[in-house]
């Protein structure tokens, strides 16, 4: 294959197709990377995986890009991706991989939006998802090997380099929001750092090893990052891998979008829009019904308003005010509502995806007839629920939120919380729906949701 002197020019993708990259083999590990980019019909392929790998990685800086070559032109790639391709290239056989930076025309926003909506399905239908953590440094390749050894109950853990493992876990890949759906959708996962690789199951088992007690030495933020990744990897086997014939979109159905936003909005993303778009195919509800889909031309303020309206299940006729801005990730909500009660945090458990076990002293607003308390388990969120936080129900909302009193307003801690099935009142239990119906929406609220 001769080296092309001009840049690759993308052709429009036919409906129902994706692109795949074939990395050509070479015995010289330092030789320039030669590839073939081809279109692939992404229709119902029956049972079993499609015969390609999907890459999960961090793009890295776009400065001083490298080049990979096809017979139709060269493609610019980041140094991070180039290093991954060098390590993935085989000496004898071509390798077929789906890589977002190459297989999506990043300059075509329409195609980008459509393909992003397919990404969870692309990863779910891949034979394997390969996680590239980067080149080996600071004993990181040995750290990955030590995690594998820790998964073996018979291995003496006192010989492992725990500090090197903690350093490896602080790499940028663990902070990115896009990697969540990439590992959650995977049939099989291979994690690579330099020349060292480990199976995804062994990675989780090693990190969760009680004898290793590794994450007990990590900061709370790092523990939360890693527990989220291991939780999604461990449960990936049980999630759907094919789109149903009755459905037009693919979703992993993990949680409602509002809960996902609560949990993951502090994760890193190149574009602010991605903090929403990266979670759409993980949601168990249907955000596209509210016009929430990957549209990069949509102003941030408009996207934020659609998001809040969808989470609160508001229609234009509802008497609620939602103010948003293009330059900041903040929404100000004004609505009638009531305080149902106060929170007392019993304990926090973020193991295996985790949650917060809270005791909620719940009552109706002033003048209400019912009061009581109930244990309540909430999802772990970017903002932790604290003692004294308030349980608020806005007029017309289906689910309560957790808010915190400030000087002249309330801040939103959780914008949506799955309510308990019932509230213990007196000598019996009252179903949540009946309890909520007894509330009196007499208070005007100004709520600030700030990411």
């Amino acid at each position: 294959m001769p080296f092309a002197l001009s840049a690759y020019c993308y052709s429009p993708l036919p409906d129902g197709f994706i692109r795949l990259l074939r990395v050509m083999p070479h015995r010289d590990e330092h030789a320039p990377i030669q590839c073939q980019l081809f279109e692939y019909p992404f229709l119902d392929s029956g049972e079993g995986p499609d015969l390609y790998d999907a890459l999960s990685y961090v793009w890295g800086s776009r400065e001083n890009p490298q080049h990979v070559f096809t017979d139709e032109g060269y493609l610019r790639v980041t140094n991070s991706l180039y290093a991954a391709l060098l390590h993935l290239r085989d000496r004898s056989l071509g390798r077929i991989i789906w890589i977002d930076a190459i297989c999506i025309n990043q300059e075509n926003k329409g195609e980008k939006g459509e393909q992003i909506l397919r990404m969870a399905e692309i990863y779910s239908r891949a034979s394997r998802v390969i996680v590239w953590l980067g080149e080996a440094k600071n004993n990181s390749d040995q750290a990955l090997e030590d995690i594998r050894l820790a998964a073996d109950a018979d291995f003496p853990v006192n010989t492992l380099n725990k500090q090197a493992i903690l350093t490896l876990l602080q790499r940028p890949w663990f902070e990115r929001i896009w990697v969540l759906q990439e590992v959650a959708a995977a049939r099989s996962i291979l994690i690579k750092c330099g020349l060292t690789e480990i199976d995804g199951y062994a990675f989780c088992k090693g990190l969760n090893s009680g004898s290793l007690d590794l994450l007990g030495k990590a900061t709370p933020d790092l523990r939360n990052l890693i527990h989220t990744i291991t939780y999604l990897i461990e449960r990936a086997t049980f999630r759907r891998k094919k789109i149903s014939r009755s459905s037009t979109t693919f979703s992993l159905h993990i949680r409602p979008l509002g809960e996902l936003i609560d949990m993951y909005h502090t994760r890193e993303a190149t574009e602010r829009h991605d903090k929403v778009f990266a979670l759409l195919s993980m949601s168990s509800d249907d955000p596209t019904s509210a016009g929430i889909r990957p549209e990069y031309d949509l102003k941030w303020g408009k996207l934020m308003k659609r998001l809040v309206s969808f989470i609160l299940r508001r229609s234009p006729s509802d008497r609620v005010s939602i103010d948003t801005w293009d330059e900041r990730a903040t929404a100000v909500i004004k609505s009638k509502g009531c305080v149902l009660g106060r929170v007392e945090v019993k304990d926090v458990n973020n193991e295996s995806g985790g949650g917060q076990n809270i005791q909620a002293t719940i009552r109706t607003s002033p003048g209400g007839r019912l009061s009581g308390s109930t244990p309540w388990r909430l999802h772990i969120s970017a903002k932790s629920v604290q003692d004294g936080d308030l349980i608020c129900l806005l007029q017309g909302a289906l689910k309560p939120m957790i808010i915190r009193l400030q000087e002249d307003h309330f801040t939103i801690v959780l914008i949506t919380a799955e309510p308990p099935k019932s509230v213990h009142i007196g000598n019996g239990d009252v179903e949540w729906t009946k309890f909520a119906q007894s509330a009196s929406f007499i208070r005007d609220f100004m709520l600030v949701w700030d990411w």
Side-chain angles (χ1 to χ4, degrees), residues 229-242:
I229 293 293
T230 57
Y231 173 81
L232 293 173
I233 291 176
E234 289 171 336
R235 283 153 181 77
T237 301
F238 307 106
R239 299 190 185 101
R240 62 188 297 200
K241 304 301 179 187
K242 295 287 184 179

Side-chain angles (χ1 to χ4, degrees), residues 33-272:
I33 296 174
Q34 296 176 296
C35 306
Q36 295 172 348
L37 193 59
F38 62 96
E39 294 170 354
Y40 178 75
F42 205 59
L43 306 172
D44 186 0
S45 61
E47 298 301 320
D50 293 67
L51 300 181
Y52 65 87
D53 292 332
L55 185 65
S56 177
Y57 70 109
V58 174
W59 278 36
S61 172
R62 302 190 189 196
E63 296 182 1
N64 302 315
Q66 300 281 353
H67 296 85
V68 298
F69 297 92
T70 77
D71 54 3
E72 298 178 48
Y74 65 81
L75 293 153
R76 293 185 179 89
V77 299
T78 64
N79 286 278
S80 172
L81 177 52
Y82 193 80
L85 289 171
L86 284 176
H87 281 82
L88 293 173
R89 180 172 59 180
D90 192 78
R91 292 171 60 85
S92 303
L93 297 174
R95 190 166 204 165
I96 299 177
I97 313 175
W98 187 88
I99 304 170
D100 57 355
I102 293 177
C103 297
I104 299 175
N105 181 359
Q106 300 293 327
E107 302 302 318
N108 185 327
K109 292 185 177 181
E111 177 186 308
K112 184 178 177 181
E114 290 297 323
Q115 291 291 295
I116 282 176
L117 208 53
R118 286 181 174 269
M119 278 178 59
E121 188 179 6
I122 290 171
Y123 279 88
S124 75
R125 286 174 56 170
S127 297
R128 178 174 58 179
V129 171
I130 300 174
V131 173
W132 172 248
L133 297 180
E135 296 275 25
K137 61 179 180 180
N138 299 325
N139 294 320
S140 58
D141 49 348
Q142 184 58 49
L144 198 60
E145 175 65 11
D146 283 354
I147 293 173
R148 185 187 67 80
L149 295 173
D152 182 353
D154 296 328
F155 190 84
V157 297
N158 59 336
T159 64
L160 304 181
N161 188 337
K162 296 183 181 181
Q163 184 54 52
I165 297 175
L166 287 174
T167 300
L168 173 68
L169 297 179
Q170 294 175 56
R171 291 206 172 189
W173 182 86
F174 295 97
E175 301 175 356
R176 304 295 291 179
I177 197 166
W178 278 110
V179 308
L180 301 176
Q181 74 163 1
E182 293 165 5
V183 298
R187 295 172 180 271
S188 173
I189 295 176
L190 181 71
I191 300 174
K192 288 181 65 69
C193 182
L195 297 174
T196 306
E197 57 189 44
I198 180 176
D199 175 78
Y201 174 77
F203 178 80
C204 296
K205 187 177 180 182
L207 289 180
N208 293 331
S209 169
S211 58
L212 181 60
D213 190 29
L214 174 69
L215 294 180
K217 298 177 174 58
T219 65
D221 287 344
L222 180 58
R223 281 200 302 273
N224 190 32
L225 286 175
I226 304 308
H227 281 310
T228 297
I229 293 293
T230 57
Y231 173 81
L232 293 173
I233 291 176
E234 289 171 336
R235 283 153 181 77
T237 301
F238 307 106
R239 299 190 185 101
R240 62 188 297 200
K241 304 301 179 187
K242 295 287 184 179
I243 188 169
S244 64
R245 293 183 181 275
S246 61
S247 176
T248 57
T249 58
F250 178 91
S251 176
L252 299 171
H253 290 277
I254 294 176
R255 288 181 182 270
L257 182 60
E259 292 185 19
L260 294 172
I261 296 287
D262 275 334
M263 296 169 75
Y264 302 133
H265 68 257
T266 57
R267 294 248 172 181
E268 295 295 325
T270 303
E271 298 189 45
R272 186 183 293 159

Side-chain angles (χ1 to χ4, degrees), residues 337-342 362-371 390-393 410 435 437-445:
C338 67
V339 172
L340 291 179
R342 193 175 296 272
I362 299 179
R363 58 177 172 76
T364 55
S365 54
R369 297 175 291 103
L370 303 176
S371 64
L390 304 175
I391 305 162
C392 171
L393 184 66
F410 295 91
F435 176 79
Q437 289 170 0
S438 71
S440 300
F441 301 102
I442 59 175
R443 180 168 186 165
D444 291 311
F445 281 89

